[in-house]
Amino acid sequence: MTDMVVVAVVSGTTRAESVLVEAARRADESDTVVHVLYVVGLEWYARLELHLAERLGIPTGSETIRSICERKADRLAAPALEEYEAVGRVGNPIDEIVQYAEQVGADTVVLDGAGHWGGGWWRRSSSLLEQLRERDVPVVPVY
């Protein structure tokens, strides 16, 4: 197996299975691994932290939210993939995707090209895909 990684972004989509299938196909072709990434944006983080702390009485903090994101990634990936690494991140989604892709040496980032990314994910003047490409992230959109 090589040191290269295919990152499947499963947050911001209702079609995670399609993203995971494409990521698995690409990983098989290049004999590499799939990392399943679930990112919570800062707006969602604030709402989730408030919900957990005030309504449910659960301790919060970025590590707690990251752990929740990791479990979501795992829950989405388990039915579709045999081998993968589930990863949760909190922050500006574009920055988190770019930083994670650089951190693991991703040769491909697969995501939903028509995803519902919500407010605050990107500048209104350009799409998420355009911003990732501007930052030299090797993006493969799934439609």
Side-chain angles (χ1 to χ4, degrees):
M1 206 175 290
T2 68
D3 291 329
M4 298 177 86
V5 172
V6 174
V7 175
V9 180
V10 294
S11 47
T13 181
T14 57
R15 297 182 290 177
E17 185 176 347
S18 297
V19 170
L20 293 166
V21 167
E22 179 62 21
R25 186 185 70 74
R26 289 178 176 272
D28 285 345
E29 286 178 355
S30 58
D31 191 31
T32 190
V33 296
V34 176
H35 287 207
V36 181
L37 178 62
Y38 194 102
V39 181
V40 168
L42 297 174
E43 301 86 9
W44 283 102
Y45 169 75
R47 285 188 218 137
L48 185 56
E49 189 170 63
L50 183 65
H51 175 74
L52 290 173
E54 290 186 357
R55 294 189 181 167
L56 303 178
I58 297 172
T60 61
S62 61
E63 286 305 313
T64 300
I65 306 302
R66 250 188 227 109
S67 176
I68 290 169
C69 291
E70 188 175 307
R71 286 194 307 267
K72 285 184 175 192
D74 185 50
R75 194 169 39 245
L76 290 166
L81 302 174
E82 289 181 24
E83 293 184 36
Y84 60 90
E85 182 172 330
V87 180
R89 300 288 287 248
V90 176
N92 175 294
I94 291 172
D95 291 342
E96 294 300 325
I97 293 167
V98 170
Q99 288 170 5
Y100 190 75
E102 290 174 352
Q103 177 185 334
V104 299
D107 55 324
T108 306
V109 174
V110 181
L111 51 77
D112 183 354
H116 303 287
W117 305 102
W121 268 60
W122 67 87
R123 299 180 309 244
R124 297 290 178 210
S125 62
S126 68
S127 75
L128 173 67
L129 295 173
E130 289 170 348
Q131 284 203 34
L132 290 172
R133 287 178 177 142
E134 286 172 5
R135 293 173 73 175
D136 296 323
V137 174
V139 180
V140 175
V142 174
Y143 294 96

